[in-house]
Amino acid sequence: MKLPLTLISACIAASNAFQVAVFSQSSPSLTVRRQPSTCLHAEEEEGEGAAPADTGAGSDILSSPAFLRRKLEVLQSDIAKVEQDTEEARARLEAGRAEWGGQLDELQKEYKNIQDRLNTQNKKGDTMATVQVTREMLKVLDNYDRAFGAVKPSCDVESEIEADYKATHEDIMQTLRDLGVEEIETVGIEFDYEVHQAVMQKPSDEYDEGIVCEEFQKGFKIGDTLIRASMVAVAA
């Protein structure tokens, strides 16, 4: 006859309990470790009722006061090291400034002077280029002026041709004005040897002595740079 499984388990458990009791009485100072049950049914019950492992141990360590104090000490140490390095760098900067500050100021001034000279030279170069181009263009404009003074249109067709030439002449003059070229004033102002070239003196009832009374050729300048002096007659 087979015994029920529960009865066998109860017998084994009673036997184990009896052995533990006897062992405890004979050696009260020893700690008795519970023997694992060999009963399949008991193991199933223990497996079903086992508590889940504690997963919060790691987070408890990271949030513990001891860990946080240690982390604060490390951060304070790093900050102190950075502050020390900053002070040392500032000290080296002040020492270098004291040693080389004067020379650096001189270099800065010299650099500014070089920049100013280059800018001035560039402006002068642009001005001289404009002067040279204008002088070449004035040769063409002089031919226009001579033609306008010598040729008088005798019919509508010639008048239209003259009008076209005058329009071209004005376009060239406007281009020169856009480049900063100015005509030199002549008639009615006092003779200026820097911008006027006197080719003759003649009596004048209209102008006083020393006043330009007639212009033979236009003069031009750009800023303070003379491109061509005006050819004039001066009242005597």
Side-chain angles (χ1 to χ4, degrees):
M1 181 182 65
K2 295 183 178 179
L3 294 177
L5 181 62
T6 54
L7 180 61
I8 296 174
S9 299
C11 293
I12 295 174
S15 175
N16 289 338
F18 178 77
Q19 293 178 3
V20 169
V22 173
F23 185 78
S24 300
Q25 291 178 359
S26 62
S27 303
S29 60
L30 296 177
T31 302
V32 178
R33 177 176 297 177
R34 183 175 179 272
Q35 297 296 328
S37 175
T38 60
C39 178
L40 296 177
H41 183 69
E43 288 179 357
E44 290 176 356
E45 291 180 352
E46 287 181 1
E48 292 176 356
D54 187 5
T55 59
S59 60
D60 291 342
I61 294 175
L62 294 178
S63 60
S64 64
F67 179 81
L68 294 178
R69 281 195 302 271
R70 178 55 184 164
K71 186 174 182 179
L72 179 61
E73 291 173 358
V74 172
L75 291 176
Q76 290 175 341
S77 176
D78 292 341
I79 293 173
K81 183 64 169 60
V82 171
E83 291 178 348
Q84 181 181 357
D85 293 342
T86 302
E87 290 298 327
E88 292 176 356
R90 185 178 292 110
R92 290 194 297 270
L93 174 62
E94 293 298 331
R97 182 176 298 170
E99 182 177 1
W100 303 100
Q103 297 183 27
L104 290 175
D105 291 340
E106 292 296 328
L107 288 175
Q108 289 288 344
K109 291 178 181 179
E110 183 62 24
Y111 175 76
K112 186 177 183 303
N113 292 335
I114 291 174
Q115 290 292 330
D116 293 340
R117 286 197 297 269
L118 289 175
N119 291 334
T120 301
Q121 290 175 1
N122 289 335
K123 290 180 180 179
K124 288 182 177 179
D126 294 341
T127 300
M128 292 308 300
T130 303
V131 168
Q132 293 176 2
V133 171
T134 303
R135 285 174 179 167
E136 295 300 321
M137 292 302 300
L138 288 178
K139 297 176 183 179
V140 178
L141 294 175
D142 290 341
N143 291 332
Y144 274 78
D145 292 334
R146 284 191 287 267
F148 294 150
V151 178
K152 299 299 181 182
S154 58
C155 62
D156 293 341
V157 176
E158 291 180 356
S159 297
E160 291 178 2
I161 294 174
E162 182 185 43
D164 290 339
Y165 275 102
K166 286 185 177 180
T168 304
H169 179 279
E170 179 57 28
D171 288 341
I172 296 174
M173 290 300 302
Q174 185 58 49
T175 300
L176 295 179
R177 284 191 288 268
D178 293 342
L179 292 173
V181 177
E182 305 174 76
E183 292 186 17
I184 297 173
E185 297 183 14
T186 53
V187 178
I189 67 171
E190 186 176 359
F191 176 79
D192 184 354
Y193 71 92
E194 291 187 352
V195 294
H196 297 149
Q197 181 180 355
V199 296
M200 64 179 297
Q201 285 184 306
K202 65 179 184 178
S204 174
D205 297 333
E206 185 177 0
Y207 300 104
D208 295 334
E209 183 179 356
I211 302 299
V212 176
C213 59
E214 185 178 357
E215 180 185 73
F216 300 109
Q217 188 180 62
K218 292 183 178 295
F220 297 89
K221 66 178 181 177
I222 177 170
D224 296 331
T225 303
L226 180 65
I227 299 175
R228 185 177 73 182
S230 299
M231 298 178 64
V232 298
V234 182

